[in-house]
Amino acid sequence: MAHDLIEKLREACGRENVVTHPHQLRTYESDGLLRYRVTPRAVVLPGSAEEVQKVLRACHEAEVPWVARGSGTGLSGGALPVEEGIVISVNRMNRVLEVDLPNQRMVVEPGVTNLDVSKAAGPTHFYPPDPSSQIVCSIGGNVAENAGGAHCFKYGFTTNYVTGLELVLPDGELIELGGKELDRPGYDLLGAFVGSEGTLGIATKITVRIVPVPEAVRTLVAFFEHTSNAGRVVSDIVAAGIVPGAIEMMDSLAIEAAEGATHAGYPSDAGAALVVELDGSEAECEHRFKEVEKLCEGNGATSIRVAQDEDERQLIWKARKAAFAAMGRVSTHYYVQDGVIPRTRLSEVLERIDELSKEYGMPVANVFHAGDGNLHPLVCYDGHTEGEAERAEELSGKILTACVEAGGSITGEHGVGYDKKRYMPRMFEEPDFDAFQRLRCAFDPAGMANPGKVMPTPRLCGEVPGPYRQHPLEAAGIAERF
Ligand SMILES: Cc1cc2nc3c(=O)[nH]c(=O)nc-3n(C[C@H](O)[C@H](O)[C@H](O)COP(=O)(O)OP(=O)(O)OC[C@H]3O[C@@H](n4cnc5c(N)ncnc54)[C@H](O)[C@@H]3O)c2cc1C
């Protein structure tokens, strides 16, 4: 392929925006999940939708697969390159195109970071979905992953905020889905694209809903001897009809790591920390905040710290948001898992995780969006010892099985990507995969967009739906069925 295609990419985007040097390509060989690495043939950085169109047309003609990339913070290997394929990085497309406060809409290019969307809407408005990676991750990556965050319990996920998309399809055609209005008639193709993990096309322009900054915000962190006490507070808060802006939990190991990194003042002997943030009108916040304090006390809080000002609020949040990165202080290697359970099954699933941790002799720290039942177990292991990474992965898989058996899901917000496609059959049957594949093929009949991600079996658009039959690639031993 290669030379002709690379020349076409250079013509389309400028020589300086096509990376082919082996050292520079290493930057793009994985996303936030460092366990998997593939060096792409080249990386191209288009600066506009027209350039994305030219790049995708060139790949289409050359029949070369490609992977879209935002900031590369994904934790499921979604932006992992394809062998001999092209990575299309949208970082240069980072302009805020329109801020329409009266209609509560913003139009941005995909490379704008999540935090910059809120900054551009401020100080009167903000963009609620707030992944902990928000300083770096791109809004295009958020759309592809249907990203969530601490404030999604009350406010909803990315899918609840995207009203319009401009996309380039894998054959280079530019289309628009939705617009500024909330709900267009017709099939919800916009909904299908959000969370499609780069398998349907590239988002080049994104229209999002922004909301007014609440009048008041009150934040506390309560500490408990055990996560089960904190879990009961979560259930009691919900049962009382209180809808916190955020409700986040950390266990003792996560507290130890986060406190070591941030010195936020979390007690080192606490068994659990529960961050609760209420927002809304001054009067409502004040009234309900007192109720939350009482529920914490009633469930055995050993201490409660209420943020007295914005600086203290930020410090409380700093410990929670730094929790993943801080794990490096307690373990040389760790594996971030992402599963969902019904909130009411929290104690029992945490007990199962504890059992598995003992069985494998690997500490597991737990950080979670407690209101949504979205767990992030962090499996600690020594990657320098042969076979430990594989055992950590096995343990992580068993945690996901526990989540599914409890009536939950294999992912809450980090996506399926490369890492979790093997677990998809735990949630879906063959007819489901056939339906997914028909949708995927409607956007990408040639299968060039992020192949080998999300779906567990090698499937082609010409495959006959119906009961499973062995694919010729499997029979030839070229492809594997999980
Ligand atoms: C420390 C840390 C904390 C995190 N916390 C959270 C959290 O709280 N909540 C959460 O949801 N996630 C979290 N994440 C995961 C990650 O930040 C999100 O999944 C984020 O949405 C990825 O954005 P990105 O720009 O880095 O995308 P990338 O990693 O570059 O790509 C992710 C996927 O999106 C596709 N893609 C990227 N751009 C486009 C585009 N323009 N069009 C089509 N497809 C595209 C890629 O092909 C890939 O499949 C965290 C990650 C880290 C490292």
Side-chain angles (χ1 to χ4, degrees), residues 16-95:
E16 67 286 7
N17 293 313
V18 180
V19 178
T20 53
H21 192 286
H23 287 169
Q24 291 172 329
L25 288 177
R26 294 204 64 184
T27 305
Y28 298 91
E29 66 185 11
S30 10
D31 61 4
L33 183 67
L34 300 172
R35 184 153 153 56
Y36 304 109
R37 290 166 201 269
V38 173
T39 309
R41 172 72 187 85
V43 177
V44 58
L45 293 98
S48 65
E50 294 71 36
E51 290 185 7
V52 173
Q53 283 187 277
K54 286 181 192 165
V55 167
L56 290 193
R57 268 190 216 118
C59 289
H60 182 68
E61 279 161 21
E63 297 181 4
V64 169
W66 51 268
V67 178
R69 181 178 167 112
S71 304
T73 66
L75 291 170
S76 56
L80 182 75
V82 182
E83 202 87 47
E84 286 303 310
I86 302 294
V87 168
I88 303 169
S89 166
V90 298
N91 290 122
R92 287 177 60 230
M93 298 173 66
N94 60 0
R95 289 175 306 158

Side-chain angles (χ1 to χ4, degrees), residues 218-223 248 250 258-259 262-266 273-277 289 304-323:
R218 300 292 315 271
T219 309
L220 63 74
V221 55
F223 301 99
E248 299 280 304
M250 289 158 72
E259 178 58 21
T262 60
H263 307 292
Y266 282 34
L274 189 71
V275 178
V276 186
E277 184 160 283
F289 200 70
I304 300 175
R305 176 171 163 196
V306 177
Q308 299 303 323
D309 54 29
E310 183 55 22
D311 285 349
E312 193 171 3
R313 174 177 173 248
Q314 290 302 338
L315 196 60
I316 289 173
W317 274 114
K318 192 174 172 190
R320 163 60 190 91
K321 296 212 170 185

Side-chain angles (χ1 to χ4, degrees), residues 205-408:
K205 205 192 277 180
I206 299 160
T207 305
V208 294
R209 211 157 56 81
I210 47 177
V211 300
V213 168
E215 186 189 355
V217 179
R218 300 292 315 271
T219 309
L220 63 74
V221 55
F223 301 99
F224 301 86
E225 273 179 15
H226 201 271
T227 46
S228 55
N229 302 74
R232 278 198 295 276
V233 177
V234 177
S235 299
D236 288 355
I237 287 176
V238 175
I242 303 170
V243 186
I247 182 160
E248 299 280 304
M249 206 194 292
M250 289 158 72
D251 73 1
S252 56
L253 191 54
I255 294 170
E256 180 192 329
E259 178 58 21
T262 60
H263 307 292
Y266 282 34
S268 53
D269 58 347
L274 189 71
V275 178
V276 186
E277 184 160 283
L278 298 190
D279 61 11
S281 74
E282 195 83 52
E284 187 190 355
C285 254
E286 202 48 47
H287 176 69
R288 297 246 114 172
F289 200 70
K290 288 199 181 92
E291 283 184 59
V292 171
E293 283 183 274
K294 275 198 196 124
L295 291 174
C296 291
E297 282 160 6
N299 281 293
T302 48
S303 64
I304 300 175
R305 176 171 163 196
V306 177
Q308 299 303 323
D309 54 29
E310 183 55 22
D311 285 349
E312 193 171 3
R313 174 177 173 248
Q314 290 302 338
L315 196 60
I316 289 173
W317 274 114
K318 192 174 172 190
R320 163 60 190 91
K321 296 212 170 185
F324 285 8
M327 287 315 292
R329 304 179 75 87
V330 295
S331 178
T332 54
H333 295 79
Y334 62 94
Y335 193 90
V336 182
Q337 197 45 281
D338 167 45
V340 183
I341 51 165
R343 220 172 19 232
T344 47
R345 310 285 295 269
L346 194 65
S347 293
E348 128 197 17
V349 174
L350 286 179
E351 269 169 33
R352 175 72 186 130
I353 293 175
D354 209 32
E355 273 169 29
L356 286 166
S357 162
K358 289 190 181 117
E359 185 186 323
Y360 279 75
M362 290 178 174
V364 179
N366 287 292
V367 177
F368 28 100
H369 304 309
D372 298 317
N374 186 183
L375 310 181
H376 291 313
L378 299 143
V379 179
C380 300
Y381 65 97
D382 176 7
H384 304 299
T385 305
E386 182 90 7
E388 286 296 273
E390 288 73 18
R391 289 184 69 244
E393 214 173 315
E394 192 179 293
L395 164 49
S396 293
K398 289 191 177 170
I399 292 176
L400 288 186
T401 301
C403 291
V404 174
E405 283 173 359

Side-chain angles (χ1 to χ4, degrees), residues 49 107 163-169 173-181 184 189-190 204-205 207 443:
V107 184
T163 63
L165 286 173
E166 176 190 90
L167 307 177
V168 180
L169 296 179
E173 186 189 352
L174 186 110
I175 63 162
E176 289 195 16
L177 300 177
K180 282 190 172 179
E181 62 275 32
R184 278 208 179 166
L189 297 178
L190 185 72
T204 49
K205 205 192 277 180
T207 305
F443 283 79

Side-chain angles (χ1 to χ4, degrees), residues 183-189:
D183 186 15
R184 278 208 179 166
Y187 295 119
D188 185 13
L189 297 178

Side-chain angles (χ1 to χ4, degrees), residues 68 70-75 78 131-133 138 141-142 144-145 147-148 197 201 203 413 450:
S71 304
T73 66
L75 291 170
S132 303
S133 52
S138 72
N142 290 177
E145 297 287 357
E197 303 193 28
E413 52 185 20
N450 215 2

